[in-house]
Amino acid sequence: MSHDKSSKAYSDTPSQPEQKVFYSTDPADFFYMSVNVPCQDYCPAKTNVPAYIRAIYESKFSSSYEINRMVNILPGVLGRICSRPCEDRCRHGEKELGRSVNICHLKRAAGDHKSVGHIYEHQLFAPNGKRVCVIGSGPTGLAAAHDLSMTGFHVTILEAYDEPGGMLRYGIPDFRLPRDILTSEIDAVLRMGVDLKTKVVVGKDVSMEQLLTEYDAVLVSTGCYASRALNEPGEDLPGVYSGLEFVMEVSAGAKIDLGNRVLVLGAGFTAFDCARYALRLGAEDVSICIRGLEEELTVTADEIHEAKLEGIKIRSLMIPHRVVGESKVEGMEFLRSKPGEKIPNRKRKVTPIPDTNFTLAADAIIIAIGQSAIPIPAAAETDESGVLKTDPETFRSTAKGLYAAGDYITGPSTVIDCIAAGRKAAEQIARDLLGRKFREWVVSIQETKITDRERSWDYIPRVEMPKVESIEERLNPPDTEVELGFSNSESLEESKRCYLCYLHYEIDMNRCIYCRWCIDEAPRDCIKLVENVTLNEDGAVIGLTESSSWNKVNAVVIDNTQCIRCGACLRVCPMDCISVSKVQLIEKTVSVGEQNG
Amino acid sequence: MSIIDITVEVCGMAGDGTIAAGGLINEAMSLAGFSVLGFDSYPAEIRGFGRCVTRSRIGSSDILALADVTHVLVSLDDEQSISRVPFLSRPATVIFDNKPPGYIEEAQSLVAKLEPDTHLLGMPLHDLAVAASGTARGRNLTALGGFAAIFGASPDFFRQVITKKFKRKGEKVLASNIMSFDAGYNYAVEQFADRLQPVFVDATQTDTEKVMLSGNEAIGKAALDARLKLYFGYPITPATPIMEYLAKHLPEQGGRVVQMEDEISSIGAVLGSYYAGARAMTATSGPGFALMTELIGLGVMAEIPAVILDAQRGGPSTGLPTKTEQSDLHAAVFGGPGDSGRIVIAPTNVSECYKYTVKSFQFAEKYQSPVIVLTDFYLDNRVENVPPPSSTAGEIEDMTIGPHKDVAGSYVRFEDTASGISPRSIPGAQGFNYVATGLEHTKTGSPNYSPEVHMSMTEKRFRKLETALQDDLPKPKEFGASEEMDLGVIGWGSTFGSVLEAVNLAKQKGHRVGALKIISIFPYHRKEIKSFMAKCREILLPELNFSGQLANLIGPLHHGEIIRINEVTGVPISPATILFKIEEIIAQLASSRVHDYQN
Amino acid sequence: MAERHCVIIGNGPAANEAALTLREKDTDLRITMIGKERVGCYRTHLLPNYIIGKTREEDLYVHPTDFYADKNIKLRLGQPVKSVDFSKHEIVLDHKEIVKYHGLIIATGGKPRIPEPFLVFSDIFLTLKTVADANAWIKKLKQIDSVLLVGGDLTSFVFADALIKMGKTVHFVLNDESFWPIRCTPEIFNQATGALSAAGVQVVPCQRLKRLAVQSENSVHVETDSVSLTVGAVGAFFGLRPDVSFLARSGLTIEAGIIVDEHLKTDFDNVYAAGDCAQVFHPELKDYWVSIGYSNAKNLGRIAALNLLGGTFEAEMAPTKIFQMDGIKFNTSWWTEF
C-alpha cells in the first residue's frame, strides 16, 4: 500500500479529539508494561520506542526526536552506537516472527530527518537557587547536568580534557560517531544554562573539599579511564599498546604505524574499535583474541559481522600468557582455555589448560581487556581501589552532598546505561536538596482506535542500515562514517514494521458470542479458549489455562504476550466487542500539589 | 499421456475450508479433462471441533470407485490429518502448513507420523494467505495453489473454478481468493523447483463437456427436469441438500418447496398432491423413512403415486448421521404392515441418480404406486463429472385419464385389468371422482372386507408390480461375464462401483469372474439373476450392512450359500477389500479343485 | 511419556551409528532420528563420481528406507531443527513442532565453510556437500564447459580430477589460505600446484579474489589480483564447519563446534555430540580438534550412544585415515583452528 496520508482516518492524528487519559501507578500495570512492551522495558532509560517509531511513520521526525529526548539527551549519538538491548527483545524478533525492528537506526533517522528549525521541548521548573557541580562530561554527567538544570539548579560541569563528551569523544572511533553530531547534542545541553569548565582536574586543580563547600551537591561521573594491564611478562616491549590509550590517541589524530600483523586482546567494544582502527592504520592481518567464546561476546552481532567483513579474524578460547620478543614485539604466547560451566546471567569462568602453550606472530599487540575508574581523593568511604562507595539506589556517598554515578561506580557499561544513571542521580539529588519529587513513572491508559497498520507490513523485510560497501572506500579516508543512515523513505518503511506493542487489545466477554472468527483469523496462537486465568500477587495476569473441551471454556482471551497487534481479530469480529487502548510507560512531571509519599 | 490415477485428500477442521478446497480440486481437474470422483466426510455436529476430509480420485479413464490409497494429502489441520496417515501410499506427497500459528507437540504432529520417504512439502499457508490477501481465511486456496504447482496443473483451470465459485460473493472476495491461490502457486513454483511432480502437465480441456454433480444434485436436477410441482420434506442428513437444491430452483419453474413439521406430514402431503394430480416427492433418511411407513401403505392401498427418496445413513435410530450404510433395504422393501408391495430402485452412480429419479416419477405414475429410490450417504455426497444430463430426458408422459365422453359414467377407478394397472383420474371432473381409501375396497372404491375382494385386489396390486418388472424396471446388467465363471460378484447401490473395479482388476489378473448390477431391488428380476448365478461356481455379495439384506432377499435364487461381505464401518467399501476376498475365494476353489482331482 | 525417548539430530554416519548402537544395546528405547536433508544417509565421498555418472544414485545410500522401520527407529527426513531448549528437554523443529527427549545426541555434521570475506560471493558459489548439491552441479555442468574452483579442501582435488575426466576446463585458485583442513606450507603448495597442473587443471595463483560478477545464468566473470577470466560456474571448497548455528544461544558451549568432554558429553546431562559437529580437547595435540571422515564419525557416534546409555568410553583420538590424491598426501583426521 502506498503511504497515503490524506486518507488516514485513524488515531494519532491531531485532528481527532484525544480520548481522556488515565494515569495508573498500580504495580499490575507496571508488570503488564514490562511484559508487553519489552523494548521499553529493556531500555535502561525506558525510551518509549513504539511512540517514537509511530511518530516516524507519521513523518513527524521532530516529535520522534523529542520523544527520545525526554529520557535520552543524545538521540543522534545513541542512534548510532547504542548497544540496543531493546532489539534483542523486540517482539518482531521472536522465534517465528522474523527479525526485530531496527529500533536503533530509526532513532538515528529521527535525528537525521528532524526539521531544520527543530524546536526543543523542555519543561522547566523555576530556578531554586541551589548549585550543583558535576564532575565529568561524559554521558552520565551530561544527562545529570541537563536534568538538574531543568529542575531549576545552577549546574557547573568540570571536565579534565579539552572538550566535553568523555568516552563519546575520546573512546569511540569517528568512523562510528561523527564528531559534529556529538558536539551539537552536547551543545543542546550546555545552552540550558550549564557552565562548562574544561581542563579542570579535580584533586589537582581543585580539591573535593573545596567543591563541597562551594556547591550544595557534587556528582562524580568521571567514568573509567584506567586501562587494565595484562600483568604478564613482556608487556613493556615496544609494539604493545593499551587499548583505551590507543583509541584515544588515534581519535585525537595520531598516525601510529602498527606494522602488518596485529593481535588485539580483549572482548569488548574497545577491542573491536582497536581492531578496526588498526585496519584503518594500514595493518593487513588483524585478529581479536578472546579468552572465551565468540557467541558470548557482549558486542552486537552486527559489530562482529562488520569486523569480519572487513577482514578481522576472531580467535577464541585462548588466554594471553606472555609477550614474545627481544627488543620489540614478535608475537604473543597463549594458553588454550577451557570454558567453565555456564550459569545463567553470569559470566562464564574460563580457565587455562596447562601445558598448551602456542605462539601467534605479531608486529603489534593491543591490550583492550578492560578499564577501571581513577579514584578522586575525597573525605568519604571508598573501596580498596580508592573509588567512592555509594548506595546503588540513591547514589549517595558517605559524605553529605557527595554523589557518584555511571561507569565510575559500576565499571564500564553502556552509554544508555550511563544516561539512565545520570538522570536517576539528578532526580535523587533534587529530591534530597528540595525534599520533593519532580518526575515519576506512570502508566498512561487511553482509549483509542485501531491504526492503519496492515498485516502485510509484518512481512516487510527488516530494512538494513545502508553502509559503505567497499572495504577499500571505508578505509580511505579512515574516518569515513561506515553507516550511511536511512533515507526518508527507508525510515518510513522500517517504521511500518513496528507492531506498536503499546496498543492493548481486549475482548469484552459480555458481548462475545464465542463465534471464534477471531481465532480463525489469528496470526499465531494468540487468542485462546480459556478455562482459567492466573494472577500474581499484584493482580497482574501471568498465566492462562487453556481448554480444548468446549464445555470447560469460560472466556475467549487475547494473550497479550503472544499478540502482535495486527488487529485481524478486531476487524473480523462480528460483534465489535474488541477494544483497543494505548498504554504507555511515561515519566510525568510532578507539581507541588501532586506530591504523595 | 500416461495413465493417471491419483487420489488426493484434503483434511482439516470444520471451518478450515476443507470441503471448498476439495470441491475446487474436483472442478478444476474436471475442467482439465480428467475423470473425477470425489467424496467428502464431515462432522455430524453443526458447528464444532470436527474433522472434514475430502477425497478426490482423478484419472485419465473412467473412475468407478474411491481408491484404497491416497497419494496426496493436503493438510489444513495437522492434528486432524493424522487419522489419514494409514491410508497414504508409499511414497506419498503431503502438503502441510509448516508455519502454523501455534506450536504443536510431537503427539499431535502429522509430520511425526509420516514415513521417511514421504515427499514433505511444507508451505507457510497461513502466512502466505495473510500476506497475499490480508486474511487467513484463504489458506485453503493457498494450499490448492501449492497442489496445482507441484503437480503441474495449469493454474488457469483453478482460477476459472475459483471465479465461478466466488463470483457471486463480489469482486473483493473473489480477488482475495485468487490472490491467496496465486500466493501458494508462486511459492511452490519457486521453493519446490527441484521437487515438482508434473503429472497433470499434459492436461488440456476436453471437447466433451462434463459437469460436476453430486448424487444429491443429480437427484434434484432430475426432479426439476421431470417437471416436479411440489416438494415436501423435513431436513435430515444426508437428504437435506436435495431440499436445498429444489428450494433454490423449483420456484424458478413454478413449483414450490414446503418444509413440513415432520416426515409423516411430508409423505401425507405428497400423496395428497398426487391424488389431486400434482407431481410431488419427498426425500428423507432412515429415521424419517421409518415415520413414513404407515402412509406408504396408504399409497399402496389407495394406489396413489408417490416418489420417496431414502438417503441411507448409519442406523438404526439416529445412528451415524454422517456415515454411509446400505441398511434400509429391508425397511424399503418390507417396511410397514400388510402386503404392501412397492417399487424400490437403487441407482449405483451419479448418472444413474439422475436417470432413475426421472424414471421413478414415470414408474410411480404408470404403476400408481409409491416408488422408493434408495441412495446412501456415499452416493448422495460423492461428486462425479458426468456428461450433462439431458433436459428433455425428464419428460414424462401423463398417464392419467381425463374427462372423456366415452367413459363418462362408466369410470371404474380400480378396474381389474390384465396388467393390473387401473385407469387413474384426477378427481374434479364429473364422473371421474372416486374415493381413495386405506380401507380395502372394491373396483369402484367402496370399502369392502369380503374375502373375495381382498384376495383379488391384493393379487391385482402385486400383478401390477409384475407388469412393471416385465415392461419397465431396469434389468440386472452383467459385466465381463462369461458362460462359466468361478465367481460372480453381485453389487447394488453405491457399492457397485467398487465391485466392478475389483472384478475388472481380478479379470486383469486372469481370474474367471464377472459382475452383476442390480438396480431394481423390488420387485427383482428372478430369472435374470438366477441365470447369472447359474454361470458361477460361487456368488459373492458385498454390501454395507450387517445382516446382508440383499443377500437375504435374493439368496433363495442361488443353489448354494451366497458368500457375503458385510461391512458396517460407516465408510465406503474399497475395491481392494473386494478384490482380496475374490482372490481368497478363487484360491479356495483352486485348492478344492485340486482336492477333487486327487479324489 | 512412559518410555524413554532418545533423539538423534542428524542423519549422517555419526547419527546412524549412534542410532544403531542405541538399538543394539536397548531394545525398548524409543529412538527418533531427525535429519535436515530429504534423503537417507549417503556416502559423501562418492558424490564426485555420482556427478560424473560413475556412481548410480541408489548406490550412494547406505541403507534402504525400510531399514529403519525394521529396526524400530523412527527416521524423520527433510525436517530441520530450529532450536533446542535444554532446560525443558525440547527440540523445536522448523515446522513448529516440539519434540521432547530424555536423551539427545547431536550429530549434525558439517556444512560448507565460506570464510567471512568471501560471504559476499556466497550467492554465486556452488558447494559440494550434499546430494542436493551434487544434483545442482549435475544440472549446471550440462550447460557449461568451464569451472573455477576456489579453496583447497580434500573434496576439491577429487572433484577437479573428476571434472577434467568429464572434459571440462578447470581453473583453480590456490593461495596459502586455501588449504583445509591443514595449514599450507610452501611444500604442500608446490606439491598441490604440481599435481593439479599435471592433471590438466589451470592453477591460478593469487592472493585475493577481488570481484565476481554474474554475467548471465551460465557465465561468471572473475577478477583476482593477478588475472581476470570468465567461467561457467564457481565452486567454493573451503572445507567444512560444524553445522550448529541452530544451537546458537541455546546454552551449549560452542566454539567452532560443540565443545564436549572426552566422553562426548556436552554441558547438559544426557546430551551428547558426535561426529563433525563436535569439538574435543585432544590431550596429545594439546588443542581442540574436530574430526573429519566417515570412519571417525562412525566411531564417535558409537561412543556417544554407549555413553548416553551409561558408558564411560573415551573418544578415539588416533588419526585413522590418510587422504590422498595423485601425489598429495594429507595424513590427518582432524582439524583444529580455522
Side-chain angles (χ1 to χ4, degrees), chain A residues 231-486:
Chain A
N231 293 328
E232 298 291 353
E235 206 172 345
D236 305 328
L237 282 175
V240 180
Y241 299 84
S242 124
L244 180 61
E245 282 155 30
F246 173 76
V247 171
M248 288 177 74
E249 278 176 45
V250 180
S251 294
K255 301 270 178 278
I256 301 172
D257 181 11
L258 293 170
N260 214 355
R261 291 165 302 176
V262 177
L263 298 179
V264 179
L265 315 182
F269 273 108
T270 309
F272 278 78
D273 289 343
C274 290
R276 294 178 75 177
Y277 257 153
L279 275 188
R280 283 159 177 77
L281 290 167
E284 287 211 350
D285 183 0
V286 181
S287 298
I288 296 173
C289 305
I290 59 176
R291 297 160 56 92
L293 299 163
E294 180 182 321
E295 157 170 308
E296 289 167 14
L297 286 171
T298 49
V299 298
T300 58
D302 196 43
E303 181 70 26
I304 296 170
H305 177 76
E306 290 302 316
K308 284 183 172 176
L309 203 65
E310 291 179 3
I312 293 164
K313 292 196 190 83
I314 298 173
R315 298 166 185 263
S316 43
L317 291 179
M318 49 209 287
I319 293 179
H321 186 53
R322 74 184 173 94
V323 179
V324 181
E326 292 291 318
S327 57
K328 71 177 283 294
V329 166
E330 284 165 25
M332 182 89 204
E333 190 178 301
F334 295 89
L335 287 174
R336 272 281 169 236
S337 69
K338 181 175 155 55
E341 196 190 341
K342 176 148 179 150
I343 301 162
N345 304 323
R346 236 183 300 149
K347 220 176 148 187
R348 198 201 285 265
K349 205 166 148 58
V350 175
T351 49
I353 306 173
D355 206 20
T356 54
N357 311 44
F358 64 98
T359 302
L360 296 181
D363 301 318
I365 293 169
I366 304 172
I367 299 167
I369 56 170
Q371 288 126 248
S372 57
I374 300 173
I376 298 173
E381 211 176 304
T382 66
D383 64 14
E384 62 273 20
S385 61
V387 173
L388 282 175
K389 262 191 178 171
T390 49
D391 180 326
E393 288 300 312
T394 64
F395 305 96
R396 294 175 194 142
S397 73
T398 53
K400 192 173 184 314
L402 180 56
Y403 297 78
D407 286 1
Y408 178 77
I409 55 168
T410 61
S413 68
T414 66
V415 178
I416 194 70
D417 274 317
C418 288
I419 288 179
R423 297 196 67 227
K424 276 186 205 148
E427 175 73 13
Q428 186 63 44
I429 291 169
R431 287 185 192 185
D432 286 355
L433 293 184
L434 299 171
R436 56 162 287 203
K437 63 167 95 160
F438 291 82
R439 302 172 191 85
E440 74 171 344
W441 289 96
V442 294
V443 177
S444 91
I445 302 166
Q446 186 178 16
E447 285 300 308
T448 183
K449 286 194 178 145
I450 186 169
T451 68
D452 55 351
R453 262 201 105 237
E454 289 178 18
R455 178 74 174 111
S456 60
W457 296 0
D458 295 343
Y459 300 92
I460 298 173
R462 176 176 157 119
V463 182
E464 291 299 346
M465 171 57 74
K467 291 176 178 133
V468 179
E469 286 295 333
S470 149
I471 306 302
E472 275 154 40
E473 279 172 38
R474 282 190 189 185
L475 305 186
N476 195 13
D479 65 348
T480 305
E481 187 177 11
V482 172
E483 297 179 338
L484 298 168
F486 282 150

Side-chain angles (χ1 to χ4, degrees), chain A residues 148-291:
Chain A
L148 286 166
S149 180
M150 295 221 307
T151 316
F153 292 92
H154 184 272
V155 182
T156 304
I157 301 180
L158 303 181
E159 169 57 51
Y161 287 93
D162 297 355
E163 285 182 83
M167 277 295 169
L168 298 174
R169 188 174 299 277
Y170 295 103
I172 292 178
D174 42 12
F175 62 85
R176 279 157 43 97
L177 176 57
R179 296 300 181 250
D180 55 335
I181 302 287
L182 176 64
T183 303
S184 85
E185 288 193 333
I186 293 176
D187 284 349
V189 175
L190 298 179
R191 61 186 286 203
M192 299 286 300
V194 174
D195 282 341
L196 171 70
K197 294 181 181 162
T198 57
K199 299 183 204 169
V200 179
V201 179
V202 178
K204 203 170 90 190
D205 301 322
V206 58
S207 74
M208 188 61 87
E209 285 70 32
Q210 214 174 330
L211 293 176
L212 282 169
T213 52
E214 244 173 78
Y215 295 93
D216 296 293
V218 174
L219 174 67
V220 181
S221 56
T222 50
C224 293
Y225 278 80
S227 284
R228 189 177 297 158
L230 198 56
N231 293 328
E232 298 291 353
E235 206 172 345
D236 305 328
L237 282 175
V240 180
Y241 299 84
S242 124
L244 180 61
E245 282 155 30
F246 173 76
V247 171
M248 288 177 74
E249 278 176 45
V250 180
S251 294
K255 301 270 178 278
I256 301 172
D257 181 11
L258 293 170
N260 214 355
R261 291 165 302 176
V262 177
L263 298 179
V264 179
L265 315 182
F269 273 108
T270 309
F272 278 78
D273 289 343
C274 290
R276 294 178 75 177
Y277 257 153
L279 275 188
R280 283 159 177 77
L281 290 167
E284 287 211 350
D285 183 0
V286 181
S287 298
I288 296 173
C289 305
I290 59 176
R291 297 160 56 92

Side-chain angles (χ1 to χ4, degrees), chain B residues 95-145:
Chain B
I95 298 171
F96 71 107
D97 192 338
N98 63 359
K99 293 285 175 287
Y103 285 84
I104 34 171
E105 300 284 336
E106 188 185 11
Q108 278 85 46
S109 164
L110 168 66
V111 175
K113 310 289 182 294
L114 297 171
E115 295 290 344
D117 58 2
T118 308
H119 300 294
L120 260 187
L121 297 159
M123 298 173 65
L125 299 176
H126 196 282
D127 290 355
L128 284 172
V130 170
S133 67
T135 156
R137 309 220 118 194
R139 64 189 183 278
N140 54 343
L141 290 158
T142 308
L144 285 196

Side-chain angles (χ1 to χ4, degrees), chain B residues 341-362:
Chain B
R342 77 291 296 267
I343 295 171
V344 180
I345 49 178
T348 70
N349 58 30
V350 170
S351 290
E352 289 182 2
C353 280
Y354 179 85
K355 185 174 167 189
Y356 290 113
T357 302
V358 170
K359 292 240 183 229
S360 68
F361 290 99
Q362 191 192 323

Side-chain angles (χ1 to χ4, degrees), chain C residues 46-53 55-57 60 131 134-135 138:
Chain C
L46 292 178
L47 289 177
N49 275 345
Y50 167 61
I51 290 174
I52 63 170
T55 299
R56 292 177 309 167
E57 183 175 355
L60 291 175
V131 176
N135 287 331
I138 289 171

Side-chain angles (χ1 to χ4, degrees), chain B residues 78 90 96-107 109-118 120 194-195, chain C residues 1 5 30 32 38 65-66 69 74-79 82 90 92-100 132 139:
Chain B
D78 285 4
R90 293 286 302 272
F96 71 107
D97 192 338
N98 63 359
K99 293 285 175 287
Y103 285 84
I104 34 171
E105 300 284 336
E106 188 185 11
S109 164
L110 168 66
V111 175
K113 310 289 182 294
L114 297 171
E115 295 290 344
D117 58 2
T118 308
L120 260 187
D194 54 341
R195 306 175 63 195
Chain C
M1 241 182 333
H5 186 203
R30 182 156 85 94
T32 303
R38 291 192 292 270
T65 318
D66 287 334
K74 178 72 190 174
L75 175 63
R76 304 180 58 171
L77 295 177
Q79 298 168 36
K82 177 102 186 203
E90 284 178 357
V92 182
L93 299 180
D94 190 51
H95 60 268
K96 299 181 72 178
E97 176 187 338
I98 292 169
V99 178
K100 289 197 177 282
K139 211 169 139 193

